Amino acid sequence: MQTLNLKIFLTVVFAFSAASHSFSAPIVKSKGKGFVVYKAIFGPKKEDKDAAIRAAMDNALLRFEETFSEERAELYRRAQKQNHFRGVNMVTGYTIVFDEIDKKKKRYTALVEATINMDAIEQAFRKLGPAAPDRSAPVAVANPAPVAAPPAAEETYMTFVFVARELASRRTFDDKKTDIEILESAKQGKQDTKISEDGLSAESKQEKVEAKKRVRGGSKEQKGAERAYRTFTVTAVDNAVTEVLASANFEPVAAIDAGLDVDAFKADFGIGNDISATTRRAAVALCRENGIRYLAVANMEVGLPRIDPNTGLKKVTVDVTCKISDLVGKFPKTLASVAGIPYFGL
């Protein structure tokens, strides 16, 4: 049975490669990042930028190698040991997606999209793989026993739901302030007696004095902002993920074919950062009923565009959160997860 590992999972989330089918090997692109720390006072020189681009291409090739299945990874290691790639340009071209200069750290960074030399890789695989003809001398066997047909490989099904969202509105609240005032008062009396000059009469007068005391206090309450999101699915991402899973010997099943309620996922992500317990339990139950072992759920949050200070272009950041579960057993088991990894483009 095919075992899902973290490398394949990361490939499922981030491999947005384009493939064109022809008589030659498909064109495969992979992104990579590289940087150099330069010494010049006024900025990086051409050789500094070239070094960063070479490092980015190496990183792109390394990221592509991580997408291999276990069988193809073993063939690739054998091809490297036998020097099948000696003198071969493994990256046939590249495009600079983004570059920046950090003047404080004196660091130049480049992000490139490299074109991988799939012709050289497939030629090496054909020479080393099990499909290559056996050129050793045949051995005669008297009365050979019938050879049983190899058992069919067990199909490993996997379904996924990728929902993207962007901020639709943000509601803020003024601080709530409560004032408390306590008023204390007390009255005091004062009596004056006035006697006439002849001593035959007296007049009394009483004055009242009122004293007040104020005690003030209160509290302030702050309420968090309410956010509303627009949610949607991305067909291009679904197609790329399906292609990567198929190349890794999985049997990808579209969420709608698996019976999952995609609208419920979109509604949950529209108001929170995860799906509800009800939506998840329903999805797990449907996958188990249909014999689907793996379930991947991802949320891509598109940030508001802002001006990049280095290029003057609009820069958009996408935060990717994803979790993949193995549904075999009494309870689902989380195999791998990605929490809020940011990616950006201009």
Side-chain angles (χ1 to χ4, degrees), residues 16 41 47 51 61 71 91-92 112 118-119 135 156 168 173 187 222 299 304 316 324:
F16 299 90
I41 299 177
E47 53 265 31
L61 181 61
E71 180 182 359
V91 177
T92 59
V112 305
M118 286 302 299
D119 286 320
R135 294 181 172 84
T156 304
F173 299 88
K187 293 183 178 180
Q222 189 175 39
N299 174 31
L304 297 176
V316 176
I324 189 164

Side-chain angles (χ1 to χ4, degrees), residues 248-308:
N249 298 326
F250 287 87
E251 293 291 336
V253 180
I256 189 172
D257 294 334
L260 303 187
D261 188 355
V262 178
D263 290 336
F265 284 83
K266 292 167 63 176
D268 290 344
F269 279 131
I271 58 176
N273 295 324
D274 202 352
I275 59 174
S276 65
T278 302
T279 301
R280 177 171 174 80
R281 282 195 294 265
V284 170
L286 285 170
C287 288
R288 285 174 169 170
E289 289 177 7
N290 295 315
I292 299 174
R293 176 168 183 174
Y294 298 111
L295 171 64
V297 179
N299 174 31
M300 295 170 286
E301 183 169 340
V302 182
L304 297 176
R306 61 183 185 277
I307 301 299
D308 178 65

Side-chain angles (χ1 to χ4, degrees), residues 280 288 293-295 323-328 331-336:
R280 177 171 174 80
R288 285 174 169 170
R293 176 168 183 174
Y294 298 111
L295 171 64
K323 182 170 68 174
I324 189 164
S325 303
D326 186 351
L327 307 182
V328 173
F331 299 103
K333 179 174 63 176
T334 299
L335 295 181

